[in-house]
Amino acid sequence: MGFAPENMIYDKSARTYVRGSGFKPQFLEPDASRYLSQLRSVADGILDREDSWIADLPPYASAPTPVRGVNPATLRSVVGAIRRSESIEVKYQSLSSPEPRWRWIAPHAIAFDGFRWHTRAFCLTDAIYKDFLLSRILDIRGARESETSPADDRDWHSEVTLEVGPHPDLSETQAKVIALDYGMRSGKAKIKVRRALLYYALKRLGLDTAPEARAPRDQQIVLINRDEVIGRMQESRGQEATA
């Protein structure tokens, strides 16, 4: 009360202090993304209500997302290999081959593409860094010390900046709405992404096709620095298809 006397007022009927109309946070900046992330975690069953700092949860719903079945034992083995700098032998089902294959991989990170969980790993079979879907690792049967260094994964440690703006064929009013949606300034927003995840980021944002491929109201945003981004993609050492 002495530090911020206008923040809390006493409600006689409720017999407790409540937020005042002139409330101003003193110890942290309001962050909508933190609130919405916690709301989603509670609504999706990831976080229990009693563990949330949201006192009164509003009604909430989200578009359904297909469940990607990740075996807990698989995740434990992958995370353990990352922590211990180990290679593990996995039985992996890729769409590029009709039958699953055993291969040695050296995982060094976990990644999420917006829908599926991957491990970023060096594939000793193909001698290249790739993304392996955790749900497609069918079995693990061995582990040994890894001789590779995560620092050599240039695509993981390199960043690409996507400059996006409203679709040029939108009306001025529509363009302003899109600018608000994406927090654009001076008609564009900058989004940083690891080069290893660039393919997924473009696909999720609908920027993996030419702007004229879809109607402006469906496309909404365009990639302003497309030539630069495509050039960075071509520099990439490549990754295994996971569609």
Side-chain angles (χ1 to χ4, degrees), residues 3-234:
F3 186 70
E6 302 299 323
N7 273 4
M8 306 295 287
I9 59 175
Y10 188 74
D11 186 328
K12 294 181 179 179
S13 60
R15 296 183 179 181
T16 188
Y17 284 92
V18 297
R19 173 188 177 125
S21 58
F23 180 90
K24 292 183 180 179
Q26 301 295 317
F27 301 104
L28 53 82
E29 289 294 324
D31 188 341
S33 62
R34 287 188 63 200
Y35 181 93
L36 295 175
S37 294
Q38 185 145 128
L39 175 62
R40 181 177 179 181
S41 295
V42 173
D44 290 350
I46 300 172
L47 186 69
D48 291 335
R49 282 176 176 263
E50 54 268 24
D51 294 328
S52 169
W53 48 258
I54 302 177
D56 187 12
L57 289 169
Y60 166 87
S62 64
T65 301
V67 176
R68 305 291 181 178
V70 177
N71 188 312
T74 297
L75 179 60
R76 182 170 62 246
S77 296
V78 170
V79 172
I82 293 173
R83 290 173 176 168
R84 295 187 294 269
S85 298
E86 291 180 340
S87 297
I88 53 177
E89 190 179 15
V90 302
K91 188 177 185 181
Y92 190 76
Q93 178 63 70
S94 171
L95 289 185
S96 62
S97 61
E99 298 295 332
R101 296 170 54 197
W102 285 98
R103 65 176 72 201
W104 283 91
I105 64 173
H108 71 82
I110 301 291
F112 184 62
D113 65 11
F115 296 100
R116 302 175 297 185
W117 286 97
H118 308 247
T119 181
R120 184 71 178 174
F122 184 79
C123 177
L124 280 74
T125 302
D126 298 329
I128 195 172
Y129 284 96
K130 294 182 177 183
D131 301 324
F132 291 91
L133 281 169
L134 294 177
S135 58
R136 292 185 185 170
I137 297 178
L138 307 181
D139 197 3
I140 300 175
R141 68 180 182 187
R144 67 190 184 197
E145 185 178 353
S146 174
E147 298 178 356
T148 63
S149 171
D152 294 333
D153 188 354
R154 293 180 296 174
D155 288 345
W156 180 263
H157 294 290
S158 298
E159 282 191 338
V160 179
T161 299
L162 309 179
E163 293 186 4
V164 300
H167 195 290
D169 292 337
L170 291 174
S171 69
E172 183 178 351
T173 300
Q174 290 171 328
K176 288 181 178 179
V177 172
I178 298 303
L180 287 173
D181 286 345
Y182 288 85
M184 296 180 184
R185 295 183 179 181
S186 301
K188 66 180 180 180
K190 294 184 178 182
I191 304 171
K192 289 186 176 182
V193 59
R194 293 181 187 271
R195 192 165 66 180
L197 301 179
L198 181 56
Y199 167 82
Y200 308 115
L202 294 177
K203 192 173 183 66
R204 190 178 186 191
L205 292 170
L207 298 172
D208 56 330
T209 58
E212 60 272 14
R214 290 185 290 179
R217 291 185 63 179
D218 295 329
Q219 181 67 28
Q220 298 185 358
I221 59 174
V222 295
L223 190 58
I224 299 173
N225 61 336
R226 173 172 289 274
D227 291 342
E228 177 188 349
V229 171
I230 296 302
R232 295 298 301 277
M233 283 191 69
Q234 293 173 345

